[in-house]
Amino acid sequence: MVAALVLAWVAAEPVVVDFEGATVYLANDKANRLEQWVEKGVTFRLAHAPRQSKAKGLVMFFEHLATGRKGIASAMALEAIPVLATLPVMADSVTVSFWGSTGVPAVLEALDAEGKVLDRASVAAAPARQNPGDPAPVFALTVKGARIARIQFSGPRPGEYLAADEVRFTPAPE
């Protein structure tokens, strides 16, 4: 039994969600805003409904101008609402690569199935461009904990954005 569990854990392949199948703009040049996005079994949506308006809580996609890679973010520009990602299986560690507005704070939290915070990683300000013409730098945050069921990321103040470029985790052994 133990040997089978160890073999299953060693054989577990990392799951990488990169949003490359997403559409950034619709045919009418409007941003693609959705109630949720599901990729490789991971469901992304806002952590809660808007509290300052009756608007529908939506996520949207940004394109990193230098690389063309796509990232997911909260579409609620005037109300900072965390993006919540529910994993299809438990994980012990999750790494998220981000880019965002200049100086935007970033917080990544790992949650168990009951919503209890297991771990938290943050930066007070996203790395700055070295020169005005440089692309927004990509940076990573990692959270760890036993049986991570969900993660959420937050930090932007009204008018700012924080886009998750890639979410990477390895399923935890059962």
Side-chain angles (χ1 to χ4, degrees):
M1 171 95 167
V2 172
L5 287 175
V6 170
L7 183 58
W9 181 76
V10 170
E13 293 291 320
V15 176
V16 179
V17 176
D18 62 11
F19 312 106
E20 292 311 303
T23 300
V24 177
Y25 292 103
L26 302 174
N28 57 5
D29 281 339
K30 290 189 178 181
N32 187 10
R33 295 182 165 116
L34 309 163
E35 288 185 49
Q36 70 176 17
W37 173 260
V38 180
E39 184 172 331
K40 296 188 179 175
V42 181
T43 303
F44 296 85
R45 65 178 182 278
L46 294 187
H48 60 79
R51 295 178 179 144
Q52 298 174 7
S53 75
K54 293 182 184 199
K56 193 178 287 190
L58 303 171
V59 293
M60 67 183 288
F61 298 98
F62 277 97
E63 187 172 330
H64 191 268
L65 295 178
T67 65
R69 290 183 53 92
K70 298 169 188 166
I72 195 167
S74 172
M76 312 310 291
L78 300 178
E79 184 175 352
I81 301 174
V83 174
L84 178 70
T86 303
L87 307 178
V89 295
M90 300 295 178
D92 292 331
S93 175
V94 180
T95 298
V96 181
S97 298
F98 295 103
W99 78 82
S101 302
T102 301
V104 67
V107 177
L108 175 64
E109 294 177 310
L111 309 168
D112 67 13
E114 290 75 42
K116 177 184 166 202
V117 176
L118 300 172
D119 192 21
R120 185 176 195 268
S122 65
V123 293
R129 298 175 174 143
Q130 297 300 314
N131 297 299
D134 289 349
V138 176
F139 63 98
L141 295 174
T142 299
V143 287
K144 298 179 180 185
R147 304 192 51 76
I148 298 170
R150 297 176 280 186
I151 58 162
Q152 71 178 17
F153 63 90
S154 60
R157 298 164 289 243
E160 296 179 328
Y161 72 92
L162 178 66
D165 175 69
E166 179 182 277
V167 176
R168 179 181 295 265
F169 66 94
T170 300
E174 289 296 319

